[in-house]
Amino acid sequence: MSGMRSPFWEKMTCRILLLIILTSCVSGSFVVNVTQTCYQAEENHNITLEWTFTTKPDRSTKTLNILCELFINDKVSVLHHVHEGVEVSESQDAKFSGRVQSDKDALREGRIRLQLSRLRTDDSGLYLCEVNTDYGFSVGRCRLNVTAAAETKHQTPTMNPQTESRGSICCGFLGDMYTYVPIYLSALKIYTVIFM
């Protein structure tokens, strides 16, 4: 099947290319950014995903349309949807039902803050947030990796807590091509653990 492309991937490729083209057309006037490109979390915890976008003080939120989606392989799930300033909870995928809280005050300030609670490992994936207003269109992307609680404890190397400094780096482009590498730094050695 390597020579054949599924209709989903063709559609997805066209959609991403269109988003890139449209984003580059209005990049000078309207931009959606992510506050963090990669998020690492453990299942059953909560996390806040955040995007920022260009606002104009004279514009009403009634011109605001937002669609935040999770992409995993060939499946798309709606995380959050706002149409003409009004949240459309009916569009939300059942897997997110009752687990997503949006900050409406932050929205007026040009920030999309979505708290996702009771994380599950199947929440891992690429999150795209499209923002469309009467003065521009853009998209922001981030990646979330949720590890199983036992898996995280099993894979973490034992180190002296006084010399440990932990960070997270995300490498890659789309879909499953991302690799997460938490890095542990000590005075003399660098350890890496790759979560897949």
Side-chain angles (χ1 to χ4, degrees), residues 162-183:
Q162 294 174 337
T163 62
E164 182 179 331
S165 172
R166 183 176 180 184
S168 207
I169 297 175
C170 179
C171 310
F173 182 61
L174 288 174
D176 290 328
M177 290 185 258
Y178 278 91
T179 303
Y180 290 86
V181 184
I183 296 179

Side-chain angles (χ1 to χ4, degrees), residues 33-50:
N33 290 309
V34 290
T35 56
Q36 195 172 324
T37 56
C38 292
Y39 294 86
Q40 179 81 29
E42 192 174 286
E43 69 180 334
N44 298 319
H45 286 106
N46 302 335
I47 197 162
T48 301
L49 305 175
E50 185 171 346

Side-chain angles (χ1 to χ4, degrees), residues 116-140:
L116 182 55
S117 59
R118 299 182 311 278
L119 287 171
R120 306 183 322 206
T121 55
D122 67 346
D123 291 331
S124 298
L126 176 68
Y127 287 80
L128 286 177
C129 194
E130 303 169 13
V131 180
N132 190 359
T133 70
D134 62 344
Y135 56 92
F137 170 85
S138 189
V139 63

Side-chain angles (χ1 to χ4, degrees), residues 72-143:
I72 304 173
N73 297 326
D74 59 351
K75 187 172 190 295
V76 179
S77 303
V78 174
L79 174 71
H80 183 66
H81 183 202
V82 172
H83 180 72
E84 296 179 348
V86 178
E87 193 169 327
V88 185
S89 56
E90 301 83 36
S91 314
Q92 189 177 62
D93 193 274
K95 75 178 261 168
F96 294 120
S97 181
R99 298 194 305 129
V100 179
Q101 294 293 320
S102 64
D103 185 339
K104 290 168 184 52
D105 293 330
L107 196 58
R108 286 185 212 94
E109 300 165 359
R111 293 183 299 132
I112 301 165
R113 290 176 47 87
L114 302 176
Q115 183 182 38
L116 182 55
S117 59
R118 299 182 311 278
L119 287 171
R120 306 183 322 206
T121 55
D122 67 346
D123 291 331
S124 298
L126 176 68
Y127 287 80
L128 286 177
C129 194
E130 303 169 13
V131 180
N132 190 359
T133 70
D134 62 344
Y135 56 92
F137 170 85
S138 189
V139 63
R141 303 159 190 82
C142 67
R143 179 87 176 160

